[in-house]
Amino acid sequence: MPGNDPRLRRTLQLVIALNLGFFAVEFAVATAIGAVSLFADSVDFLEDMAMSLLVLAAMRLSPLMRARIGFGLAGVLLAPVIAFLATLAHKFTAAVPHAPEPLPFALTGLAALAVNATCALLLARVRHAGGSLTRAAFLSARNDMIANLAIMAAAGLTALWPSIWPDIVVGLGIAGLNADAAKEIWAAARREHGAALAARDGGGEAP
Protein backbone atom coordinates (compact mmCIF):
# COMPACT_ATOMS: atom_id res chain seq x y z
CA MET A 1 0.00 0.00 0.00
CA PRO A 2 1.82 3.12 -1.12
CA GLY A 3 2.27 5.61 1.66
CA ASN A 4 1.91 8.54 -0.72
CA ASP A 5 -1.41 7.51 -2.32
CA PRO A 6 -3.55 10.66 -1.84
CA ARG A 7 -6.70 9.07 -3.30
CA LEU A 8 -6.62 6.22 -0.83
CA ARG A 9 -5.88 8.57 2.07
CA ARG A 10 -8.79 10.92 1.21
CA THR A 11 -11.15 7.97 0.80
CA LEU A 12 -10.23 6.55 4.19
CA GLN A 13 -10.59 9.93 5.92
CA LEU A 14 -14.09 10.39 4.49
CA VAL A 15 -15.12 6.85 5.44
CA ILE A 16 -13.85 7.40 8.99
CA ALA A 17 -15.93 10.59 9.35
CA LEU A 18 -19.10 8.96 7.97
CA ASN A 19 -18.81 5.92 10.22
CA LEU A 20 -18.11 7.89 13.38
CA GLY A 21 -21.01 10.26 12.74
CA PHE A 22 -23.58 7.57 12.10
CA PHE A 23 -22.37 5.40 14.97
CA ALA A 24 -23.52 8.14 17.35
CA VAL A 25 -26.91 8.44 15.59
CA GLU A 26 -27.67 4.72 15.44
CA PHE A 27 -26.47 4.01 18.97
CA ALA A 28 -28.79 6.74 20.31
CA VAL A 29 -31.80 5.36 18.41
CA ALA A 30 -31.00 1.76 19.40
CA THR A 31 -30.85 2.77 23.06
CA ALA A 32 -34.08 4.76 22.82
CA ILE A 33 -36.20 2.02 21.17
CA GLY A 34 -34.44 -1.08 22.53
CA ALA A 35 -33.47 -2.61 19.17
CA VAL A 36 -30.67 -5.17 19.58
CA SER A 37 -30.05 -5.39 15.82
CA LEU A 38 -29.59 -1.60 15.63
CA PHE A 39 -27.20 -1.76 18.56
CA ALA A 40 -25.14 -4.48 16.86
CA ASP A 41 -25.18 -2.44 13.65
CA SER A 42 -24.09 0.72 15.48
CA VAL A 43 -21.09 -1.15 16.88
CA ASP A 44 -20.42 -2.17 13.28
CA PHE A 45 -20.06 1.52 12.37
CA LEU A 46 -17.57 1.99 15.20
CA GLU A 47 -15.72 -1.12 14.05
CA ASP A 48 -15.63 0.19 10.46
CA MET A 49 -14.21 3.47 11.69
CA ALA A 50 -11.51 1.67 13.68
CA MET A 51 -10.71 -0.53 10.70
CA SER A 52 -10.29 2.44 8.38
CA LEU A 53 -8.09 4.15 10.97
CA LEU A 54 -5.88 1.06 11.07
CA VAL A 55 -5.67 0.97 7.27
CA LEU A 56 -4.74 4.66 7.25
CA ALA A 57 -2.06 4.11 9.89
CA ALA A 58 -0.72 1.09 8.03
CA MET A 59 -0.16 2.94 4.74
CA ARG A 60 3.54 3.42 5.47
CA LEU A 61 4.16 -0.04 6.94
CA SER A 62 5.89 -2.97 5.29
CA PRO A 63 3.88 -5.71 3.50
CA LEU A 64 4.74 -8.13 6.33
CA MET A 65 3.44 -5.77 9.01
CA ARG A 66 0.28 -5.04 6.99
CA ALA A 67 -0.40 -8.77 6.75
CA ARG A 68 0.00 -9.10 10.52
CA ILE A 69 -2.45 -6.25 11.06
CA GLY A 70 -4.81 -8.14 8.76
CA PHE A 71 -4.88 -10.97 11.32
CA GLY A 72 -5.89 -8.42 13.94
CA LEU A 73 -8.66 -7.04 11.74
CA ALA A 74 -10.15 -10.52 11.46
CA GLY A 75 -10.60 -10.31 15.22
CA VAL A 76 -12.00 -6.78 15.02
CA LEU A 77 -14.73 -8.05 12.68
CA LEU A 78 -15.97 -10.25 15.53
CA ALA A 79 -16.62 -7.25 17.83
CA PRO A 80 -20.27 -6.79 16.72
CA VAL A 81 -20.91 -10.48 17.41
CA ILE A 82 -19.83 -10.05 21.02
CA ALA A 83 -21.79 -6.78 21.33
CA PHE A 84 -24.94 -8.42 19.99
CA LEU A 85 -24.75 -11.38 22.35
CA ALA A 86 -24.22 -9.09 25.35
CA THR A 87 -27.16 -6.87 24.36
CA LEU A 88 -29.38 -9.87 23.66
CA ALA A 89 -28.65 -11.30 27.10
CA HIS A 90 -29.56 -7.94 28.65
CA LYS A 91 -32.82 -7.80 26.68
CA PHE A 92 -33.91 -11.22 27.92
CA THR A 93 -33.15 -10.28 31.52
CA ALA A 94 -35.54 -7.32 31.28
CA ALA A 95 -38.79 -7.68 33.19
CA VAL A 96 -40.92 -7.37 30.02
CA PRO A 97 -38.97 -7.57 26.74
CA HIS A 98 -40.62 -5.25 24.20
CA ALA A 99 -40.49 -4.93 20.43
CA PRO A 100 -38.82 -1.78 19.02
CA GLU A 101 -40.99 0.99 17.55
CA PRO A 102 -41.30 0.16 13.81
CA LEU A 103 -41.01 3.68 12.33
CA PRO A 104 -37.71 4.80 13.92
CA PHE A 105 -36.48 1.23 13.47
CA ALA A 106 -37.11 1.37 9.70
CA LEU A 107 -35.92 4.96 9.19
CA THR A 108 -32.66 4.29 11.02
CA GLY A 109 -32.08 1.20 8.90
CA LEU A 110 -32.69 3.25 5.73
CA ALA A 111 -30.29 5.99 6.83
CA ALA A 112 -27.66 3.39 7.76
CA LEU A 113 -28.07 1.81 4.31
CA ALA A 114 -27.39 5.18 2.64
CA VAL A 115 -24.24 5.72 4.72
CA ASN A 116 -22.94 2.20 4.13
CA ALA A 117 -23.69 2.36 0.40
CA THR A 118 -21.66 5.56 0.19
CA CYS A 119 -18.76 3.98 2.08
CA ALA A 120 -18.90 0.79 -0.02
CA LEU A 121 -18.83 2.77 -3.28
CA LEU A 122 -15.89 4.83 -2.07
CA LEU A 123 -13.95 1.78 -0.88
CA ALA A 124 -14.77 -0.28 -4.00
CA ARG A 125 -12.56 2.06 -6.02
CA VAL A 126 -9.54 1.41 -3.79
CA ARG A 127 -10.19 -2.08 -2.40
CA HIS A 128 -7.21 -3.59 -4.27
CA ALA A 129 -4.79 -0.89 -3.11
CA GLY A 130 -3.79 -2.48 0.18
CA GLY A 131 -4.43 -6.20 0.19
CA SER A 132 -6.31 -7.65 3.15
CA LEU A 133 -6.53 -4.33 4.99
CA THR A 134 -8.45 -2.35 2.37
CA ARG A 135 -10.39 -5.46 1.36
CA ALA A 136 -11.46 -5.87 4.99
CA ALA A 137 -12.89 -2.34 5.04
CA PHE A 138 -14.72 -2.93 1.74
CA LEU A 139 -16.17 -6.29 2.83
CA SER A 140 -17.37 -4.82 6.10
CA ALA A 141 -19.19 -1.95 4.34
CA ARG A 142 -20.73 -4.38 1.86
CA ASN A 143 -21.95 -6.70 4.61
CA ASP A 144 -23.40 -3.75 6.49
CA MET A 145 -25.60 -2.90 3.48
CA ILE A 146 -27.07 -6.41 3.59
CA ALA A 147 -27.65 -6.01 7.32
CA ASN A 148 -29.41 -2.67 6.82
CA LEU A 149 -31.84 -4.17 4.29
CA ALA A 150 -32.59 -6.91 6.81
CA ILE A 151 -33.16 -4.31 9.53
CA MET A 152 -35.73 -2.55 7.34
CA ALA A 153 -37.46 -5.88 6.67
CA ALA A 154 -37.50 -6.60 10.41
CA ALA A 155 -39.09 -3.20 11.05
CA GLY A 156 -41.83 -4.02 8.53
CA LEU A 157 -42.49 -7.38 10.19
CA THR A 158 -42.55 -5.75 13.61
CA ALA A 159 -45.18 -3.27 12.38
CA LEU A 160 -47.38 -6.17 11.19
CA TRP A 161 -46.56 -8.54 14.05
CA PRO A 162 -45.38 -6.78 17.23
CA SER A 163 -42.68 -9.13 18.52
CA ILE A 164 -39.07 -9.05 19.66
CA TRP A 165 -38.13 -11.89 17.28
CA PRO A 166 -37.64 -10.10 13.93
CA ASP A 167 -35.14 -7.80 15.67
CA ILE A 168 -33.36 -10.76 17.27
CA VAL A 169 -33.21 -12.83 14.07
CA VAL A 170 -31.68 -9.91 12.15
CA GLY A 171 -29.17 -9.39 14.94
CA LEU A 172 -28.14 -13.03 14.60
CA GLY A 173 -27.76 -12.52 10.85
CA ILE A 174 -25.50 -9.51 11.38
CA ALA A 175 -23.37 -11.60 13.73
CA GLY A 176 -23.12 -14.35 11.11
CA LEU A 177 -22.08 -11.93 8.34
CA ASN A 178 -19.29 -10.55 10.46
CA ALA A 179 -18.06 -14.01 11.41
CA ASP A 180 -17.91 -14.98 7.72
CA ALA A 181 -16.05 -11.78 6.81
CA ALA A 182 -13.57 -12.44 9.63
CA LYS A 183 -12.86 -15.86 8.13
CA GLU A 184 -12.25 -14.33 4.68
CA ILE A 185 -9.89 -11.67 6.01
CA TRP A 186 -7.95 -14.22 8.07
CA ALA A 187 -7.43 -16.36 4.96
CA ALA A 188 -6.33 -13.35 2.89
CA ALA A 189 -3.94 -12.15 5.60
CA ARG A 190 -2.47 -15.63 5.88
CA ARG A 191 -1.73 -15.71 2.15
CA GLU A 192 -0.16 -12.24 2.25
CA HIS A 193 1.88 -13.11 5.33
CA GLY A 194 3.32 -16.15 3.58
CA ALA A 195 4.12 -14.12 0.47
CA ALA A 196 5.77 -11.35 2.51
CA LEU A 197 7.91 -13.85 4.44
CA ALA A 198 8.99 -15.51 1.21
CA ALA A 199 9.91 -12.14 -0.32
CA ARG A 200 11.80 -11.09 2.80
CA ASP A 201 13.79 -14.31 2.92
CA GLY A 202 14.45 -14.26 -0.80
CA GLY A 203 12.63 -17.55 -1.29
CA GLY A 204 10.55 -16.45 -4.26
CA GLU A 205 6.88 -17.50 -4.26
CA ALA A 206 5.18 -18.41 -1.00
CA PRO A 207 3.84 -21.94 -0.78
Side-chain angles (χ1 to χ4, degrees), residues 58-115:
M59 287 179 67
R60 297 183 182 277
L61 299 178
S62 68
L64 183 59
M65 185 58 68
R66 291 201 302 268
R68 287 171 177 167
I69 291 177
F71 287 123
L73 289 184
V76 169
L77 278 167
L78 294 175
V81 180
I82 298 168
F84 167 75
L85 293 175
T87 310
L88 183 60
H90 181 267
K91 189 178 188 74
F92 276 117
T93 57
V96 184
H98 63 279
E101 289 293 327
L103 185 58
F105 194 10
L107 290 177
T108 306
L110 179 61
L113 176 63
V115 174

Side-chain angles (χ1 to χ4, degrees), residues 23-168:
F23 158 73
V25 172
E26 193 170 30
F27 184 85
V29 175
T31 302
I33 69 174
V36 293
S37 59
L38 284 184
F39 180 78
D41 197 52
S42 73
V43 176
D44 236 353
F45 278 102
L46 194 62
E47 167 227 323
D48 289 349
M49 182 205 71
M51 187 176 299
S52 295
L53 278 171
L54 284 172
V55 176
L56 191 63
M59 287 179 67
R60 297 183 182 277
L61 299 178
S62 68
L64 183 59
M65 185 58 68
R66 291 201 302 268
R68 287 171 177 167
I69 291 177
F71 287 123
L73 289 184
V76 169
L77 278 167
L78 294 175
V81 180
I82 298 168
F84 167 75
L85 293 175
T87 310
L88 183 60
H90 181 267
K91 189 178 188 74
F92 276 117
T93 57
V96 184
H98 63 279
E101 289 293 327
L103 185 58
F105 194 10
L107 290 177
T108 306
L110 179 61
L113 176 63
V115 174
N116 280 316
T118 301
C119 291
L121 288 172
L122 289 168
L123 290 167
R125 299 182 302 175
V126 295
R127 69 181 182 276
H128 300 301
S132 64
L133 295 182
T134 310
R135 180 170 171 74
F138 168 72
L139 279 174
S140 186
R142 182 204 65 184
N143 287 349
D144 291 347
M145 291 173 62
I146 299 171
N148 298 148
L149 290 171
I151 285 171
M152 293 167 65
L157 286 173
T158 302
L160 296 173
W161 175 45
S163 168
I164 63 171
W165 289 107
D167 178 34
I168 290 172

